[in-house]
């Protein structure tokens, strides 16, 4: 039980976020209306996506320094979960944009940056698949992972701020906190970030275990026919 | 430093001996420019600055990817291994980046010359020094980021497709900044307007350069 407290925490937090997020009081805003509740889901998805990508990069660095294949597995699964969160973030954002901005995919620098970021991580997966040798794949893809994250950061944090964007906090628009976020919303938003991140870690942990099991199964399957043939 | 000089000299000699590759690249950029010219079927000075600018940078991007993709496949792996026993990998990547920067400058210069020759320059008050500075920053950034990606792609089979797939998203932030600065230069805006973008460009160049030098030692071992 000692090891699993954070899973319980994630469930509790997310239950709280979903309940209060859908039922609680929210400030009335002209165009946003009730859709402001999406802040609790859309924004944390992006926050935790960046956290997951950062973790993926840290494991990639660890792989390069220590050369343990396990770090590579963890790194790729964190990247996978980050991609999932990115897709979910795009979906929730798309819904929200069609309600408030009248267009599911407006030509907005932040959206385009994220699309490019997603391309980068898809390229990472393609790169991984193009190697047969496990060690080589791990090493080369770790290098690309680090490189991609380093380019992703200016792409998503610096570039949108230099141009006009529909998103709050960019291109002269005031940030959320300044005018339409009251403290009651913060009490849901920040736990939501933590909860989403914990869920992401949980998904990643399960996927890493699945991958390990599959590896072991492959090893067993590989060795079986050989053992058979030597027995003959 | 001296070793880097020798390595760059080696790159030049290699290029000179395989002149068909160099000529191929020169012809590539010339014919791409000409294809664009014909497909817009223009008289001079008919493109808006926006289109002119975007087209120019897209041509340069494709030329850069094609030119730099070969920087690791040109030499046999045995020979690369031999270099690694002689010198530190940082020096190898630095010399390759420097060489590719020079190569990009030559290609960009030629491309720019022909492009302005056939397409004309939109707008009268173009800020040429700023445009050229931008071209220089672009050459450094392209060379630094694409050289590492070329190294990565050369490790895999089917490296031509991989090179394109891996490099487009990585180069994009750089490309967006370059397009923005050169648009400012084309419109002859005051230079203080572009300072922010130039700062970001320098920062991206520095990040990419530093990462290439840091990560390459891990790459060559595999």
């Amino acid at each position: 039980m000692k090891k699993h407290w954070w899973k319980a925490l994630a469930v509790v937090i997310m239950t709280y976020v979903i309940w209060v997020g859908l039922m609680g009081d929210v400030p009335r805003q002209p165009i946003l209306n009730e859709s402001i509740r999406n802040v609790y889901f859309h924004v944390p998805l992006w926050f935790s996506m960046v956290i997951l990508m950062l973790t993926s990069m840290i494991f990639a660095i660890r792989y390069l320094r220590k050369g343990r294949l396990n770090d590579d597995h963890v790194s790729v699964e964190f990247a996978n979960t980050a991609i999932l969160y990115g897709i979910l973030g795009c979906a929730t954002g798309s819904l929200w944009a069609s309600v408030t901005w009248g267009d599911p995919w407006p030509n907005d620098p932040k959206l385009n940056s994220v699309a490019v970021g997603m391309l980068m991580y898809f390229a990472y997966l393609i790169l991984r698949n193009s190697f047969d040798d496990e060690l080589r794949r791990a090493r080369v893809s770790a290098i690309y992972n680090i490189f991609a994250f380093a380019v992703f950061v200016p792409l998503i944090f610096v570039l949108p701020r230099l141009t006009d964007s529909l998103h709050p906090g960019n291109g002269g628009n005031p940030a959320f906190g300044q005018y339409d976020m009251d403290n009651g919303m913060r009490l849901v938003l920040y736990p939501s970030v933590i909860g989403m991140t914990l869920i992401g870690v949980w998904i990643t942990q399960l996927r890493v275990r699945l991958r390990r099991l599959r590896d072991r199964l492959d090893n067993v399957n590989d060795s079986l026919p050989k053992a058979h043939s030597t027995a003959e | 430093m001296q070793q880097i000089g020798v390595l760059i000299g080696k790159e030049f000699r290699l290029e000179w001996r395989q002149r068909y590759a160099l000529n191929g690249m020169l012809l590539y950029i010339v014919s791409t420019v000409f294809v664009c010219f014909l497909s817009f079927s223009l008289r001079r000075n008919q493109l808006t600055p926006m289109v002119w600018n975007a087209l120019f940078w897209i041509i340069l991007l494709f030329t850069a990817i094609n030119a730099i993709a070969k920087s690791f496949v040109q030499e046999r792996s045995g020979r690369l291994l031999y270099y690694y026993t002689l010198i530190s990998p940082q020096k190898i990547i630095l010399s390759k980046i420097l060489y590719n920067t020079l190569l990009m400058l030559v290609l960009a210069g030629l491309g720019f010359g022909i492009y302005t020759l056939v397409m004309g320059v939109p707008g009268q008050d173009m800020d040429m020094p700023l445009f050229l500075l931008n071209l220089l920053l672009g050459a450094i950034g392209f060379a630094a980021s694409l050289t590492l990606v070329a190294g990565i792609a050369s490790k895999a089979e089917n490296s031509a497709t991989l090179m394109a797939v891996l490099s487009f998203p990585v180069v994009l932030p750089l490309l967006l900044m370059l397009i923005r600065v050169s648009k400012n230069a084309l419109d002859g805006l005051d230079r203080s307007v572009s300072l922010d973008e130039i700062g970001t460009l320098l920062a991206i160049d520095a990040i990419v350069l530093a990462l290439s030098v840091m990560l390459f030692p891990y790459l060559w071992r595999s």
Side-chain angles (χ1 to χ4, degrees):
Chain A
M1 204 54 217
K2 263 183 203 158
K3 273 159 84 180
H4 300 299
W5 60 271
W6 57 273
K7 292 175 189 166
L9 185 67
V11 172
V12 170
I13 289 178
M14 284 321 289
T15 319
Y16 161 77
V17 167
I18 291 171
W19 179 255
V20 178
L22 295 180
M23 306 304 284
D25 277 337
V26 284
R28 294 259 147 217
Q29 296 293 335
I31 300 170
L32 288 168
N33 296 328
E34 285 290 322
S35 79
I36 198 172
R37 295 178 195 278
N38 204 358
V39 169
Y40 301 141
F41 306 102
H42 174 67
V43 180
L45 273 173
W46 292 119
F47 274 38
S48 40
M49 181 193 76
V50 173
I51 295 172
L52 292 174
M53 282 176 175
L54 179 72
T55 323
S56 169
M57 187 198 67
I58 290 170
F59 274 97
I61 295 175
R62 247 178 65 152
Y63 174 75
L64 285 184
R65 299 187 64 144
K66 300 201 174 138
R68 282 194 303 236
L69 217 48
N70 190 28
D71 289 338
D72 175 60
H73 292 337
V74 177
S75 173
V76 66
E77 289 306 348
F78 266 113
N80 274 336
T81 319
I83 290 172
L84 173 72
Y85 272 39
I87 292 169
L88 287 177
C90 281
T92 50
S94 225
L95 272 176
W96 202 5
S98 52
V99 172
T100 53
W101 299 332
D103 188 354
W105 195 273
N107 186 16
D108 183 79
K110 222 165 202 175
L111 273 78
N112 296 338
S113 299
V114 154
V116 173
M118 288 286 109
L119 282 185
M120 232 179 300
Y121 278 85
F122 285 135
Y124 167 74
L125 294 183
I126 290 179
L127 177 70
R128 284 190 69 86
N129 286 335
S130 67
F131 289 99
D132 289 332
D133 180 10
E134 212 173 27
L135 292 173
R136 199 174 202 195
R137 163 177 24 177
R139 182 181 287 274
V140 174
S141 64
I143 291 169
Y144 189 73
N145 191 337
I146 298 169
F147 200 59
F149 187 77
V151 179
F152 185 68
V153 167
L155 189 70
I156 199 162
F157 287 112
V158 181
L159 287 186
R161 283 179 171 68
L162 289 177
T163 26
D164 300 324
S165 168
L166 297 164
H167 279 86
N170 295 311
N173 290 1
F176 252 122
Q178 278 166 5
Y179 75 127
D180 52 11
M181 183 90 101
D182 60 6
N183 282 328
M185 289 192 73
R186 254 170 254 270
L187 274 181
V188 186
L189 176 68
Y190 295 143
S192 177
V193 173
I194 298 171
M196 293 269 189
T197 313
L198 285 179
I199 298 260
V201 174
W202 196 355
I203 297 174
T204 311
Q205 193 192 36
L206 292 179
R207 301 251 328 171
V208 169
R209 284 180 185 160
L210 190 67
R211 181 176 281 258
R212 270 186 216 141
L213 284 178
R214 216 173 269 151
D215 274 4
R216 198 169 294 172
L217 200 65
D218 279 351
N219 284 340
V220 171
N221 281 345
D222 281 350
S223 57
L224 268 184
K226 249 183 232 157
H228 190 66
S229 62
T230 44
E232 281 175 14
Chain B
M1 216 47 232
Q2 203 194 348
Q3 288 174 326
I4 294 179
V6 171
L7 275 175
I8 293 178
K10 181 237 21 169
E11 295 280 349
F12 273 111
R13 233 165 291 141
L14 194 68
E15 197 70 86
W16 190 246
R17 283 186 194 152
Q18 305 186 337
R19 246 164 305 175
Y20 68 92
L22 182 67
N23 292 338
M25 276 178 308
L26 295 177
L27 196 59
Y28 182 90
I29 191 161
V30 172
S31 41
T32 318
V33 169
F34 208 66
V35 164
C36 289
F37 170 63
L38 288 179
S39 41
F40 278 98
S41 69
L42 299 158
R43 284 185 295 277
R44 285 168 60 89
N45 295 333
Q46 276 200 331
L47 287 181
T48 58
M50 193 94 158
V51 177
W52 188 93
N53 193 24
L55 196 60
F56 176 65
W57 281 105
I58 290 172
I59 292 174
L60 269 195
L61 172 71
F62 276 85
T63 317
I65 288 177
N66 270 311
I68 297 177
K70 66 172 184 48
S71 51
F72 283 91
V73 287
Q74 215 170 25
E75 293 169 88
R76 248 176 247 111
S77 57
R79 203 174 335 151
L80 281 173
L81 212 59
Y82 173 60
Y83 298 144
Y84 298 140
T85 58
L86 292 180
I87 0 178
S88 69
Q90 277 99 347
K91 284 179 182 148
I92 293 180
I93 185 86
L94 267 180
S95 71
K96 281 217 190 277
I97 288 175
L98 273 172
Y99 172 75
N100 280 335
T101 309
L102 292 175
L103 183 69
M104 273 313 298
L105 279 177
V106 171
L107 289 173
L110 179 79
F112 182 58
I114 295 176
Y115 196 68
T116 47
L117 185 74
V118 294
M119 302 280 223
V121 181
Q124 303 308 312
D125 38 2
M126 181 178 171
D127 187 349
M128 196 55 105
L130 181 62
F131 194 90
L132 292 181
L133 171 75
N134 189 36
L135 219 55
L136 174 72
L137 287 177
I140 297 172
F142 278 162
S145 48
L146 294 179
T147 308
L148 186 73
V149 173
I152 291 176
S154 73
K155 297 284 172 197
E157 298 104 42
N158 190 11
S159 67
T161 325
L162 210 56
M163 175 79 193
V165 171
L166 293 180
S167 55
F168 281 141
V170 169
V171 163
L172 217 103
L174 190 74
L175 191 72
L176 289 179
M177 285 288 103
L178 288 169
I179 287 180
R180 200 167 296 163
V181 175
S182 68
K183 178 73 172 43
N184 289 351
L186 274 180
D187 293 344
L189 296 184
D190 193 63
R191 282 183 199 168
S192 59
V193 179
S194 323
L195 274 184
D196 262 8
E197 276 92 355
I198 291 186
T200 317
L201 258 181
L202 278 175
I204 296 180
D205 276 6
I207 291 174
V208 168
L209 203 63
L211 272 177
S212 304
V213 173
M214 269 161 47
L215 291 178
F216 188 70
Y218 293 104
L219 184 65
W220 71 262
R221 267 189 239 156
S222 60

